[in-house]
Amino acid sequence: MTPEDWIRPATMEAARAAQREIAARAETADRLEEPRLVAGVDCAGAPRGAPDRVRAMAVLLGLENRSRPVATGLAEGAPAFPYIPGFLGFREIPFVLEAVAGLPRRPDLILVDGHGVSHPRGCGIATHLGVVLDLPTIGVAKSVLVGKMEGELGEEAGSTAPLVWRGQRIATVLRSRRGVQPLLISTGHRVSQETALRLVGEWLAGYRLPEPTRLADKLAGEARRAAATLL
DNA sequence: GCGACAG
DNA sequence: ATCTTGTCGC
């Protein structure tokens, strides 16, 4: 059973302690089968001025049709944690867990919108989610939290460069397609940095974001618009 | 003390 | 995350 503090810590001190414990349990080496069922998770927030809300969307994709979801899971509610850089997991994971639980099967791998180990305490939301679910996860972030890119990044799709922090390579900067801001790919849990980069590349379909995350992002937004239309 | 700061 | 029209480019 996962400690309550790993999901809903009562104080910032408890949250910080939980992240250190989770980071200590994170596995940065490969411990996964070649993924057949891959899930993508992303969260949407409420418009400015509206009450604080979070909507989590989980999309399950299979190898047959990498662009048609096998299933989706949705969860929404009022977050107990505000958005604080470095503590994103405590805000979104309660809803992400519910969204993933709504899927008919446990995925072999989850691509998460956000960082994995490329975090101040090595516990970004991808790592956090992976340890809690004990499932392989990869962090797919759209901007840097900590660290600096080393060297130059090519303009061509597929170009990469290391993201370094405190002398350690914590993520790979990836130009997923020409003319777009690069992605930051990091180990979440049970997936090595090299495998994470390979798998993200395999699930890219011509867009900036890999399909699992791209669809989760799109569907979360459509669900938001659909809900707004009903009001 | 100052600046940085995923979604 | 969200606020938002037109505009550049394949």
Side-chain angles (χ1 to χ4, degrees):
Chain A
M1 196 57 202
T2 74
E4 181 64 11
D5 273 4
W6 284 17
I7 307 297
R8 304 174 185 289
T11 66
M12 287 300 291
E13 287 313 308
R16 191 174 294 267
Q19 290 188 323
R20 295 189 192 294
E21 293 176 8
I22 294 168
R25 291 169 173 68
E27 298 175 31
T28 59
D30 287 318
R31 181 158 77 83
L32 77 166
E33 298 299 305
E34 200 53 33
R36 307 298 192 201
L37 281 176
V38 178
V41 299
D42 184 46
C43 292
R48 299 190 70 74
D52 196 16
R53 303 282 290 180
V54 167
R55 167 183 287 102
M57 175 65 81
V59 175
L60 190 62
L61 297 178
L63 297 177
E64 325 70 48
N65 192 329
R66 300 195 179 199
S67 57
R68 294 308 171 198
V70 168
T72 62
L74 182 64
E76 178 177 358
F81 223 85
Y83 169 64
I84 299 174
F87 297 85
L88 180 63
F90 299 111
R91 174 181 175 76
E92 303 187 340
I93 282 184
F95 303 102
V96 172
L97 290 177
E98 194 181 327
V100 172
L103 298 175
R105 290 192 51 190
R106 254 168 84 89
D108 300 318
L109 167 72
I110 301 178
L111 264 45
V112 185
D113 192 81
H115 285 93
V117 299
S118 40
H119 172 280
R121 290 166 291 286
C123 187
I125 188 170
T127 298
H128 195 153
L129 181 68
V131 171
V132 169
L133 288 174
D134 189 31
L135 279 178
T137 59
I138 294 173
V140 180
K142 299 184 291 297
S143 64
V144 173
L145 211 203
V146 293
K148 183 173 63 65
M149 180 175 78
E150 199 168 82
E152 296 301 308
L153 182 65
E155 296 300 324
E156 331 79 68
S159 297
T160 64
L163 182 70
V164 178
W165 191 58
R166 294 182 174 177
Q168 294 290 304
R169 175 179 187 143
I170 57 176
T172 297
V173 183
L174 168 69
R175 182 89 69 188
S176 53
R177 63 166 292 181
R178 194 178 189 86
V180 302
Q181 284 304 109
L183 261 28
L184 295 307
I185 310 303
S186 58
T187 288
H189 183 52
R190 294 171 54 178
V191 183
S192 69
Q193 177 61 242
E194 312 74 62
T195 299
L197 183 62
R198 173 175 70 78
L199 290 172
V200 167
E202 291 181 5
W203 286 87
L204 238 26
Y207 296 91
R208 182 193 182 204
L209 299 176
E211 283 304 276
T213 300
R214 187 182 74 83
L215 291 174
D217 177 81
K218 191 180 73 167
L219 295 180
E222 291 179 354
R224 175 181 66 71
R225 300 188 62 189
T229 302
L230 299 179
L231 301 180

